[in-house]
mmCIF file of all heavy atoms in Angstrom:
data_model
loop_
_atom_site.group_PDB
_atom_site.id
_atom_site.type_symbol
_atom_site.label_atom_id
_atom_site.label_comp_id
_atom_site.label_asym_id
_atom_site.label_seq_id
_atom_site.Cartn_x
_atom_site.Cartn_y
_atom_site.Cartn_z
ATOM 1 N N SER A 101 2.622 29.317 -23.797
ATOM 2 C CA SER A 101 2.440 30.727 -23.469
ATOM 3 C C SER A 101 3.606 31.561 -23.977
ATOM 4 O O SER A 101 3.434 32.674 -24.428
ATOM 5 C CB SER A 101 2.275 30.905 -21.958
ATOM 6 O OG SER A 101 3.454 30.530 -21.276
ATOM 7 N N HIS A 102 4.824 30.974 -23.944
ATOM 8 C CA HIS A 102 5.985 31.686 -24.447
ATOM 9 C C HIS A 102 5.873 31.899 -25.946
ATOM 10 O O HIS A 102 6.190 32.965 -26.460
ATOM 11 C CB HIS A 102 7.260 30.912 -24.127
ATOM 12 C CG HIS A 102 7.677 31.045 -22.688
ATOM 13 N ND1 HIS A 102 8.929 30.698 -22.267
ATOM 14 C CD2 HIS A 102 7.015 31.490 -21.589
ATOM 15 C CE1 HIS A 102 9.030 30.924 -20.949
ATOM 16 N NE2 HIS A 102 7.868 31.383 -20.532
ATOM 17 N N SER A 103 5.413 30.861 -26.669
ATOM 18 C CA SER A 103 5.318 30.980 -28.119
ATOM 19 C C SER A 103 4.250 31.972 -28.525
ATOM 20 O O SER A 103 4.352 32.594 -29.570
ATOM 21 C CB SER A 103 5.023 29.606 -28.741
ATOM 22 O OG SER A 103 3.733 29.145 -28.348
ATOM 23 N N LEU A 104 3.224 32.159 -27.683
ATOM 24 C CA LEU A 104 2.168 33.099 -28.012
ATOM 25 C C LEU A 104 2.606 34.541 -27.826
ATOM 26 O O LEU A 104 1.981 35.453 -28.356
ATOM 27 C CB LEU A 104 0.926 32.819 -27.157
ATOM 28 C CG LEU A 104 0.183 31.510 -27.444
ATOM 29 C CD1 LEU A 104 -0.966 31.330 -26.467
ATOM 30 C CD2 LEU A 104 -0.331 31.474 -28.871
ATOM 31 N N VAL A 105 3.676 34.767 -27.092
ATOM 32 C CA VAL A 105 4.168 36.127 -26.869
ATOM 33 C C VAL A 105 4.657 36.737 -28.173
ATOM 34 O O VAL A 105 4.498 37.924 -28.426
ATOM 35 C CB VAL A 105 5.292 36.121 -25.821
ATOM 36 C CG1 VAL A 105 5.984 37.478 -25.750
ATOM 37 C CG2 VAL A 105 4.721 35.758 -24.456
ATOM 38 N N ILE A 106 5.267 35.935 -29.036
ATOM 39 C CA ILE A 106 5.847 36.402 -30.293
ATOM 40 C C ILE A 106 5.180 35.691 -31.467
ATOM 41 O O ILE A 106 4.995 34.478 -31.450
ATOM 42 C CB ILE A 106 7.361 36.140 -30.326
ATOM 43 C CG1 ILE A 106 8.042 36.803 -29.129
ATOM 44 C CG2 ILE A 106 7.967 36.645 -31.630
ATOM 45 C CD1 ILE A 106 9.514 36.475 -29.017
ATOM 46 N N THR A 107 4.835 36.478 -32.480
ATOM 47 C CA THR A 107 4.275 35.929 -33.713
ATOM 48 C C THR A 107 5.169 36.325 -34.866
ATOM 49 O O THR A 107 5.507 37.500 -35.038
ATOM 50 C CB THR A 107 2.860 36.474 -33.971
ATOM 51 O OG1 THR A 107 2.024 36.170 -32.861
ATOM 52 C CG2 THR A 107 2.274 35.865 -35.238
ATOM 53 N N THR A 108 5.578 35.343 -35.666
ATOM 54 C CA THR A 108 6.410 35.628 -36.826
ATOM 55 C C THR A 108 6.169 34.576 -37.893
ATOM 56 O O THR A 108 5.274 33.730 -37.763
ATOM 57 C CB THR A 108 7.903 35.690 -36.433
ATOM 58 O OG1 THR A 108 8.665 36.155 -37.544
ATOM 59 C CG2 THR A 108 8.429 34.331 -35.988
ATOM 60 N N VAL A 109 6.947 34.615 -38.971
ATOM 61 C CA VAL A 109 6.825 33.633 -40.038
ATOM 62 C C VAL A 109 7.340 32.287 -39.546
ATOM 63 O O VAL A 109 8.025 32.202 -38.523
ATOM 64 C CB VAL A 109 7.635 34.079 -41.280
ATOM 65 C CG1 VAL A 109 7.064 35.358 -41.877
ATOM 66 C CG2 VAL A 109 9.105 34.292 -40.917
ATOM 67 N N SER A 110 7.031 31.241 -40.291
ATOM 68 C CA SER A 110 7.569 29.929 -39.938
ATOM 69 C C SER A 110 8.704 29.527 -40.875
ATOM 70 O O SER A 110 9.718 28.976 -40.440
ATOM 71 C CB SER A 110 6.461 28.866 -39.974
ATOM 72 O OG SER A 110 5.854 28.820 -41.249
ATOM 73 N N LYS A 111 8.556 29.857 -42.183
ATOM 74 C CA LYS A 111 9.595 29.482 -43.145
ATOM 75 C C LYS A 111 9.554 30.451 -44.322
ATOM 76 O O LYS A 111 8.478 30.759 -44.841
ATOM 77 C CB LYS A 111 9.386 28.047 -43.629
ATOM 78 C CG LYS A 111 10.503 27.519 -44.510
ATOM 79 C CD LYS A 111 10.244 26.051 -44.849
ATOM 80 C CE LYS A 111 11.380 25.471 -45.688
ATOM 81 N NZ LYS A 111 11.124 24.048 -46.040
ATOM 82 N N VAL A 112 10.715 30.931 -44.748
ATOM 83 C CA VAL A 112 10.815 31.871 -45.859
ATOM 84 C C VAL A 112 11.846 31.355 -46.851
ATOM 85 O O VAL A 112 12.949 30.950 -46.469
ATOM 86 C CB VAL A 112 11.220 33.283 -45.372
ATOM 87 C CG1 VAL A 112 11.329 34.243 -46.560
ATOM 88 C CG2 VAL A 112 10.208 33.806 -44.366
ATOM 89 N N SER A 113 11.491 31.374 -48.134
ATOM 90 C CA SER A 113 12.419 30.970 -49.191
ATOM 91 C C SER A 113 13.128 32.207 -49.723
ATOM 92 O O SER A 113 12.483 33.180 -50.126
ATOM 93 C CB SER A 113 11.646 30.269 -50.320
ATOM 94 O OG SER A 113 12.522 29.878 -51.361
#
Side-chain angles (χ1 to χ4, degrees):
S101 65
H102 283 195
S103 66
L104 292 176
V105 170
I106 303 174
T107 303
T108 188
V109 295
S110 58
K111 186 176 182 181
V112 179
S113 179

